[in-house]
Amino acid sequence: MFIRVCVCALRRQRALKPGQSPYRALLETLELTNTKLTLQLINDNNKVRLLLELYRLQGNMTRVKINELKPLKPRFEVPDVLINDPPTEPLSLLSQDENGVVLSLGADSQWLIVSAKPFRLDIMEGREVLLSLNSRGLLAFEHLRIRKDTAELVLNVVCPGWLFSPTGPSSISLDFSLPGVEHVYGIPEHADSLKLKTTDGGDPYRLFNLDVFQYELFNPMALYGAIPVMLSHSAQRTMGIFWLNAAETWVDISSNTGSSETPQTDVRWISESGIIDVFIMLGPTPTDVFSQYSSLTGTQAFPPLSALAYHQCRWNYNDQEDVAAVDQGFDEHDIPYDFIWLDIEHTDGKRYFTWDPHKFPQPKDMLQGLVDKRRKMVTIVDPHIKVDSSYKIHNEIRSKGFYVKNKDGGDYEGWCWPGNSGYPDFTNPEMRAWWASMFAYDQYEGSMENMYTWNDMNEPSVFNGPEVTMHKDALHGNWENRDLHNLYGLYVQMATAEGLIERSGGVERPFVLTRAFFAGSQRYGAVWTGDNTAEWEHLKISIPMCLSLGLVGVSFCGADVGGFFKSPSTELLVRWYQTGAYQPFFRAHAHLDTPRREPWLFGPENTALIREAVRQRYALLPYWYQLFYHAHHSGQPVMRPLWVEYPQDTATFSMDDQFLLGEDLLVHPVTEEGGRGVTAYLPGKGEVWFDVHTFQKHNGAQNLYIPVTISSIPVFQRGGSIIPRKARVRRSSSCMEHDPYTLFVALSPKRFAQGELYIDDGHTFNFDKQKQFIHRRLSFANKALSSRSVRSFFSLQIVYLGINYTEQKYKRSMQPNLWISHDWGARPSQSRMSFSTLKGFIPD
């Protein structure tokens, strides 16, 4: 019955015919203030009035809100996702008549036209329509109403919404038209191509956080997270639509691609409840859209440097001896790693914040053993709490009234890993504050500074619930789960991250991995693509899945290396390590029932291949770190599609088997079984690209066939760039802290080479609070390297970082594309850094 409710709302909305909008703008109700325009809309069929609010926001954005003028009760509006109340700029009224009004959006030749009958909004630049709202007449707003008599029970046959809500069905819908657009992206999470497909004649893309077992590929089905943000891109412009609604949501996409008409993509958003609250980000460049979205929901949390290194996980490492043996195995096989993970079996009977007293009797001894090697641990803390009167966590949550309630007012209970479980109401800020306090060292017994957290099952997962999740009539305070379902995982990660910050007195950066997420989750840590499978197609799909997340703010993403379910062939495992080493979150993970797959269990040759992939990751950690620094400051994605940097190159618009890291590294992993070659597209007319392994030069704007062996990882550095590396790879990233940097300089006939070097302590907030960091802009021209400070915030010792680069003497090496200086060193006593080598690729 529950599923019928969801399908019924969708069916009702999809049954509406374009071009028959009943909504009319009542221009006589228009009010214009310094911050917004308000205008009433009326549905001529039922005479219900809506309130339209229009805001011109700073940064070339427009906000559109539509709610009932006089709802029977408040409709849910999403809190805690926007980082502040977006600053507005004045709208100015240019003209008005009986047909509508014209408003200036401030920018040159940029207008907003409100048409009265039928109601429609058009955003224009000059004579060009950038975007239209309700141009197809699919605005629909099911108003709240009271069931007055038994006659209305007949509606149950058509609309089961009455069965669960005394105010009836409350779905909303609005359509958007994008002239000149053929490519749209985003709205994760879906295991699908980067470019979103049309949904004509099929199912819409669904956004509804669910615990999905062995998910299907190339399917618009809902998965673990939901970010209701879509980007459109053409050679002329990039724009974004942010639909701020946390209820179950569907997105229909249609396009006239292939016809003789001007290209156009039409998008329709449908949500089960709430209000229409949409942000239109007008770009015009991809970078502008990323900045606009991050100004609304925040940027990617800046992770500790160690979190960007390699993570070893499985369900489950059996006991302390097993952890020690795995740790020792990495040393014996000379493979670096930073984190080892413990899944649910480490707890005392699936009671989170506890340890199995037999398998993990001395957790601090185990953690100290990792500290001694400068390594760390992650333990799982899920948001379902075992109902057990002897369990302190349960007793406190129950006594404080912090559990989600059922429709009758009792504690909502469901079945999950511990058995019968309660679900904390993380929408309650008091509950979140209490949860955060449980991570204090004196509360989480056995925890130490080198232990971090994994939030799984936080959609939330309810094994005996509808679609393996919470009933929609469960109560979070005054709101039903149906109104805010997709927020739950964000709140769990938010509270956990705050707990890790608080336990250090606000000094240390947290690391928290979450499976469920929403818009704004990027502020709290990392996500992964969930329970994938050890199959080649799942390896391939990890690329567009991570690219989609990066486009909507979540740069810290990755997939389980090797696949969670089933067992990979040795070839697949090697190729997955090679791919994962170049994705932002790099973790191997496996199901309880799979054979062990530590990297040295597949023979010496495969061990060597995996070792090399992991070592490549560690060598590039300085570059990864500065990319995340930029993501944190500007919202730019770390892993990005080629069209982000080459927005006018139409050949890149549908590519999702290769990607860029920042703007300077291009990666085309080998993801075909038995692959003997790949064809990589090297973008940029007049650009040059260098194979980072052979230093061979290739021209841009070409498809390059690359023969590969099992050891190949095709990676190219853009000419005109400088990338920092560390050549001395040790057992963990922390062990490399004081090692020299090597700068790889790739020259270009078009420009002198430029790059950056960013350094801080790697784990505290001092980079932000105390402005303790080094950030240098590097330039190489006329065989001389120079640097300058990027920002004015730096300690005095940084002044001495800049040795006299222009006086360095270089010699031509025996390698035809390499410049090397072996005598370039600087180790200021306080900055703790040095440069031992400068390497450069030069054109022939």
Side-chain angles (χ1 to χ4, degrees):
M1 186 65 69
F2 170 87
I3 298 175
R4 284 180 56 204
V5 177
C6 303
V7 171
C8 186
L10 176 62
R11 185 181 297 123
R12 288 195 311 275
Q13 292 284 1
R14 279 185 131 190
L16 298 177
K17 302 298 182 185
Q20 300 178 11
S21 177
Y23 290 96
R24 172 168 53 93
L26 301 175
L27 297 179
E28 66 274 14
T29 67
L30 184 148
E31 295 183 10
L32 184 62
T33 70
N34 286 335
T35 59
K36 66 179 177 180
L37 176 146
T38 61
L39 180 66
Q40 292 181 27
L41 310 178
I42 189 169
N43 183 327
D44 283 329
N45 291 341
N46 58 23
K47 307 308 178 185
V48 172
R49 293 194 179 195
L50 306 177
L51 179 66
L52 167 71
E53 298 175 72
L54 291 176
Y55 302 82
R56 174 188 164 206
L57 303 182
Q58 290 182 11
N60 203 23
M61 294 181 286
T62 300
R63 185 180 191 179
V64 180
K65 293 182 71 174
I66 303 176
N67 197 353
E68 293 186 53
L69 180 63
K70 296 180 179 179
L72 287 177
K73 63 176 185 178
R75 296 178 70 116
F76 186 74
E77 298 187 38
V78 176
D80 301 317
V81 168
L82 301 179
I83 56 175
N84 52 41
D85 194 13
T88 61
E89 295 181 336
L91 286 162
S92 57
L93 183 63
L94 299 179
S95 65
Q96 178 176 355
D97 60 22
E98 68 277 8
N99 297 316
V101 298
V102 179
L103 302 154
S104 171
L105 290 176
D108 293 340
S109 304
Q110 208 168 82
W111 329 102
L112 192 154
I113 300 175
V114 182
S115 301
K117 186 176 183 181
F119 164 69
R120 168 176 170 155
L121 290 179
D122 292 283
I123 296 178
M124 303 188 66
E125 190 167 80
R127 296 184 177 182
E128 177 187 2
V129 178
L130 301 181
L131 178 144
S132 300
L133 285 72
N134 202 39
S135 61
R136 293 187 295 152
L138 295 175
L139 167 64
F141 212 102
E142 293 184 330
H143 64 285
L144 305 179
R145 50 211 184 274
I146 298 175
R147 185 171 56 199
K148 295 180 179 178
D149 54 53
T150 55
E152 274 192 281
L153 288 174
V154 176
L155 192 58
N156 288 341
V157 177
V158 179
C159 174
W162 287 111
L163 298 177
F164 291 91
S165 174
T167 51
S170 57
S171 67
I172 57 173
S173 167
L174 184 61
D175 65 274
F176 301 79
S177 294
L178 299 160
V181 169
E182 297 180 72
H183 296 79
V184 289
Y185 313 90
I187 58 171
E189 182 177 36
H190 299 96
D192 208 343
S193 57
L194 176 64
K195 177 191 174 184
L196 297 171
K197 301 180 175 71
T198 60
T199 60
D200 296 331
D203 293 331
Y205 285 96
R206 186 184 183 200
L207 296 171
F208 188 63
N209 293 359
L210 292 174
D211 178 359
V212 182
F213 177 79
Q214 293 189 347
Y215 53 82
E216 299 176 27
L217 305 186
F218 304 106
N219 191 307
M221 65 188 286
L223 290 180
Y224 311 95
I227 300 181
V229 178
M230 179 181 288
L231 276 67
S232 68
H233 179 70
S234 68
Q236 289 71 45
R237 194 178 200 99
T238 308
M239 296 189 294
I241 299 171
F242 174 25
W243 177 269
L244 184 53
N245 189 296
E248 180 173 2
T249 295
W250 303 270
V251 183
D252 264 322
I253 301 170
S254 60
S255 174
N256 66 355
T257 300
S259 72
S260 59
E261 304 174 39
T262 301
Q264 177 167 304
T265 296
D266 297 312
V267 180
R268 186 184 184 195
W269 298 76
I270 303 168
S271 291
E272 187 184 359
S273 64
I275 70 166
I276 293 173
D277 190 1
V278 61
F279 296 82
I280 300 165
M281 299 168 283
L282 294 173
T285 68
T287 296
D288 291 329
V289 173
F290 301 142
S291 298
Q292 289 158 358
Y293 179 64
S294 64
S295 74
L296 299 172
T297 67
T299 59
Q300 175 66 57
F302 191 24
L305 173 61
S306 58
L308 302 179
Y310 175 62
H311 301 250
Q312 181 67 31
C313 183
R314 77 172 277 110
W315 177 25
N316 200 88
Y317 287 118
N318 300 323
D319 49 34
Q320 287 184 213
E321 291 73 21
D322 196 8
V323 169
V326 172
D327 176 73
Q328 185 62 30
F330 276 89
D331 290 339
E332 291 175 354
H333 295 89
D334 195 24
I335 302 173
Y337 89 98
D338 270 62
F339 284 84
I340 190 165
W341 293 51
L342 295 180
D343 211 317
I344 56 178
E345 309 302 332
H346 84 277
T347 63
D348 182 7
K350 314 299 190 297
R351 297 170 181 87
Y352 303 107
F353 299 99
T354 71
W355 303 85
D356 185 306
H358 304 292
K359 296 179 179 180
F360 296 92
Q362 302 294 333
K364 285 193 174 182
D365 290 349
M366 175 180 61
L367 289 165
Q368 185 59 51
L370 296 173
V371 169
D372 293 342
K373 293 185 177 182
R374 307 190 72 178
R375 288 172 173 154
K376 300 169 178 66
M377 174 172 279
V378 171
T379 59
I380 197 166
V381 179
D382 287 350
H384 47 261
I385 304 301
K386 184 177 179 66
V387 176
D388 177 359
S389 60
S390 65
Y391 180 24
K392 180 187 76 169
I393 298 293
H394 163 70
N395 289 338
E396 291 201 31
I397 296 175
R398 173 162 286 181
S399 67
K400 295 176 183 294
F402 285 162
Y403 277 127
V404 174
K405 307 301 180 185
N406 59 38
K407 62 181 180 180
D408 300 318
D411 288 345
Y412 177 88
E413 295 180 359
W415 203 259
C416 208
W417 295 126
N420 194 37
S421 303
Y423 290 80
D425 184 2
F426 285 90
T427 69
N428 181 347
E430 294 182 4
M431 166 61 211
R432 295 199 300 272
W434 176 86
W435 181 267
S437 73
M438 290 298 100
F439 290 90
Y441 298 122
D442 61 352
Q443 293 292 328
Y444 192 162
E445 185 177 352
S447 64
M448 289 176 55
E449 294 86 349
N450 67 326
M451 196 178 89
Y452 297 82
T453 307
W454 172 17
N455 294 147
D456 197 1
M457 315 296 285
N458 55 336
E459 294 77 23
S461 178
V462 184
F463 291 165
N464 59 339
E467 294 192 277
V468 199
T469 195
M470 190 172 284
H471 291 75
K472 287 195 174 181
D473 58 0
L475 294 173
H476 304 259
N478 295 323
W479 300 106
E480 289 187 319
N481 181 266
R482 79 176 72 247
D483 298 312
L484 51 78
H485 176 87
N486 289 341
L487 285 175
Y488 192 85
L490 175 144
Y491 279 130
V492 175
Q493 190 186 24
M494 177 192 295
T496 302
E498 185 58 35
L500 297 191
I501 295 171
E502 287 179 2
R503 73 178 187 180
S504 71
V507 174
E508 297 290 330
R509 286 178 249 166
F511 170 68
V512 181
L513 179 72
T514 182
R515 190 170 70 176
F517 52 85
F518 189 67
S521 288
Q522 69 271 11
R523 304 197 299 265
Y524 305 109
V527 307
W528 92 106
T529 61
D531 297 342
N532 59 1
T533 303
E535 296 173 352
W536 287 93
E537 291 301 312
H538 276 261
L539 168 59
K540 295 175 190 176
I541 209 72
S542 71
I543 298 174
M545 290 182 77
C546 285
L547 288 172
S548 295
L549 284 162
L551 289 176
V552 297
V554 182
S555 274
F556 204 2
C557 59
D560 286 343
V561 169
F564 180 67
F565 290 111
K566 301 183 180 180
S567 298
S569 66
T570 53
E571 182 191 4
L572 175 57
L573 183 65
V574 167
R575 290 301 192 196
W576 215 318
Y577 268 97
Q578 293 170 343
T579 302
Y582 287 90
Q583 292 177 341
F585 177 55
F586 185 24
R587 181 186 75 153
H589 186 37
H591 189 275
L592 182 72
D593 294 331
T594 62
R596 296 289 284 257
R597 61 168 87 140
E598 283 72 48
W600 52 87
L601 297 179
F602 301 88
E605 292 183 1
N606 292 304
T607 299
L609 292 168
I610 294 171
R611 179 190 302 116
E612 175 57 24
V614 176
R615 288 175 65 88
Q616 287 186 33
R617 173 60 165 237
Y618 275 73
L620 271 173
L621 282 177
Y623 184 64
W624 280 105
Y625 196 54
Q626 75 181 33
L627 291 180
F628 270 90
Y629 177 77
H630 284 295
H632 176 66
H633 274 276
S634 67
Q636 306 305 305
V638 169
M639 177 180 173
R640 56 189 73 161
L642 273 62
W643 61 259
V644 168
E645 295 299 329
Y646 299 89
Q648 295 181 315
D649 187 346
T650 57
T652 69
F653 291 1
S654 297
M655 285 184 179
D656 59 11
D657 59 353
Q658 62 182 72
F659 53 89
L660 292 167
L661 297 177
E663 60 181 345
D664 294 331
L665 279 187
L666 185 151
V667 185
H668 191 310
V670 181
T671 58
E672 291 286 347
E673 184 175 12
R676 296 185 178 182
V678 298
T679 299
Y681 179 72
L682 304 181
K685 186 176 181 180
E687 295 273 20
V688 291
W689 295 86
F690 293 89
D691 185 313
V692 301
H693 308 297
T694 66
F695 308 138
Q696 185 175 357
K697 178 178 71 73
H698 303 280
N699 292 324
Q702 68 159 319
N703 288 299
L704 178 69
Y705 179 78
I706 308 157
V708 298
T709 66
I710 190 60
S711 65
S712 302
I713 313 176
V715 182
F716 300 87
Q717 182 173 338
R718 186 179 60 87
S721 66
I722 302 174
I723 289 181
R725 294 172 177 253
K726 286 203 171 185
R728 301 177 187 175
V729 175
R730 303 184 190 271
R731 65 158 57 109
S732 73
S733 64
S734 296
C735 292
M736 300 163 60
E737 179 181 2
H738 304 311
D739 287 341
Y741 289 82
T742 298
L743 302 179
F744 278 66
V745 181
L747 303 186
S748 167
K750 292 180 61 175
R751 67 180 78 85
F752 60 86
Q754 294 189 83
E756 295 179 27
L757 184 64
Y758 176 83
I759 306 169
D760 60 24
D761 64 23
H763 59 94
T764 75
F765 286 105
N766 289 346
F767 76 96
D768 186 39
K769 296 179 180 179
Q770 307 298 328
K771 307 304 179 186
Q772 294 178 357
F773 60 82
I774 298 169
H775 194 185
R776 307 294 294 182
R777 172 73 68 182
L778 308 172
S779 298
F780 187 88
N782 300 318
K783 301 183 182 180
L785 183 71
S786 61
S787 80
R788 59 180 174 83
S789 176
V790 175
R791 294 171 179 264
S792 59
F793 304 116
F794 53 88
S795 305
L796 287 176
Q797 69 265 25
I798 299 172
V799 174
Y800 301 101
L801 171 66
I803 57 178
N804 191 358
Y805 302 116
T806 58
E807 295 181 1
Q808 293 302 307
K809 303 300 182 182
Y810 294 91
K811 62 181 180 179
R812 189 72 182 266
S813 80
M814 296 302 293
Q815 295 169 284
N817 289 325
L818 195 64
W819 286 98
I820 295 182
S821 168
H822 290 288
D823 58 353
W824 182 41
R827 186 183 289 272
S829 59
Q830 291 178 299
S831 68
R832 294 183 177 180
M833 60 175 297
S834 68
F835 301 90
S836 65
T837 309
L838 177 73
K839 296 186 178 181
F841 315 134
I842 64 174
D844 294 333

